[in-house]
Amino acid sequence: DVQLLESGGGWVQPGGSLRLSCAASGFTFSSSAMTWVRQAPGKGLEWVSAISGSGDSTFYADSVKGRFTISRDNSENTMFLQMNSLSAEDTAVYYCVQGTMTLHYWGQGTLVTVSS
Amino acid sequence: DVVMTQSPLSLPVTLGQPASISCNSSQSLVYSDGHTYLNWFQQRPGQSPRRLIYYVSNRDSGVPDRFSGSGSGTDFTLKISRVEAEDLGVYYCMQGMYWPRTFGQGTKLEIK
């Protein structure tokens, strides 16, 4: 069975940083592009970032470009999201998702709260 | 960015009755590989989103056959033939062809 387990969420002050991780299992991770999607409290889904299977290609939403960095370690079957210069608008549940065009499997999400 | 517009945003339905959600994209979602990259997701209260349909009309494993997707180009529809209580939640369409990927606003399915 495919499993995606996010971690690294928590509370951070405005201007701070967090690094999210997504541990994957149940599929050939290195062959699969991956995506981060977030959902602010009571709001809809927002696509955040994506990365190719090799890690050579990365894509970002304008709202996070220059502040967030997506990466992956295929030897550890893990994807990361480094989030810098966080603001209240980044408060959300962050989901790790397999794929970039059809977004097949979703993790349970990790909550990031940015507040003073 | 490609804009995905869903309607209605709220859909009160009676159990056992049909329901239909529309999704319009501002650009064609037909890719060079011949596939149309329109997906539908269901999010039940308190749960992660779950993909229901990909390539407009392909149901995921385990998705009841009362769910169906249709459409082409820029206009798409998700239909539920007979709504059941477990269908309560929010439904999103999403395009997987252009960067950045974009979601519709979501349609909240409520049981009357």
Side-chain angles (χ1 to χ4, degrees):
Chain A
D1 284 4
V2 171
Q3 289 196 7
L4 298 169
L5 186 60
E6 303 94 336
S7 61
W11 174 83
V12 62
Q13 291 187 325
S17 298
L18 276 178
R19 189 193 198 204
L20 306 183
S21 299
C22 170
S25 61
F27 63 100
T28 305
F29 182 71
S30 60
S31 298
S32 184
M34 299 289 293
T35 295
W36 288 99
V37 173
R38 69 183 180 183
Q39 185 170 37
K43 302 298 185 183
L45 301 174
E46 180 188 11
W47 179 87
V48 173
S49 182
I51 187 167
S52 63
S54 65
D56 290 346
S57 298
T58 58
F59 306 88
Y60 298 94
D62 284 346
S63 58
V64 307
K65 199 172 294 182
R67 300 187 300 121
F68 289 12
T69 301
I70 191 171
S71 62
R72 63 193 296 158
D73 182 342
N74 286 344
S75 68
E76 296 290 335
N77 288 354
T78 304
M79 177 176 67
F80 305 99
L81 187 68
Q82 176 67 42
M83 305 186 296
N84 299 330
S85 303
L86 287 162
S87 70
E89 289 67 42
D90 298 314
T91 293
V93 174
Y94 285 73
Y95 296 102
C96 167
V97 191
Q98 185 202 25
T100 62
M101 302 182 87
T102 56
L103 270 61
H104 194 174
Y105 296 104
W106 295 61
Q108 87 291 343
T110 186
L111 176 62
V112 172
T113 302
V114 185
S115 173
S116 54
Chain B
D1 297 359
V2 174
V3 178
M4 304 297 290
T5 304
Q6 286 182 231
S7 64
L9 299 185
S10 177
L11 184 53
V13 295
T14 301
L15 294 178
Q17 294 301 302
S20 180
I21 301 169
S22 294
C23 175
N24 172 267
S25 61
S26 59
Q27 296 185 46
S28 172
L29 302 183
V30 181
Y31 194 55
S32 55
D33 64 2
H35 290 301
T36 300
Y37 285 88
L38 186 282
N39 308 285
W40 288 99
F41 301 91
Q42 175 195 60
Q43 188 175 31
R44 292 170 170 152
Q47 294 187 13
S48 300
R50 162 201 184 195
R51 194 181 72 181
L52 294 177
I53 287 173
Y54 59 100
Y55 297 160
V56 179
S57 59
N58 288 263
R59 259 192 321 272
D60 270 283
S61 174
V63 174
D65 61 8
R66 63 179 181 274
F67 288 91
S68 64
S70 63
S72 62
T74 61
D75 291 290
F76 308 96
T77 303
L78 176 69
K79 291 183 179 177
I80 309 173
S81 59
R82 296 173 306 279
V83 173
E84 297 189 6
E86 67 177 17
D87 301 336
L88 168 79
V90 182
Y91 292 81
Y92 298 91
C93 61
M94 188 214 93
Q95 63 85 12
M97 180 169 165
Y98 301 94
W99 301 107
R101 308 308 195 213
T102 44
F103 290 90
Q105 314 96 303
T107 295
K108 187 172 185 179
L109 186 70
E110 303 170 301
I111 308 300
K112 280 184 182 176

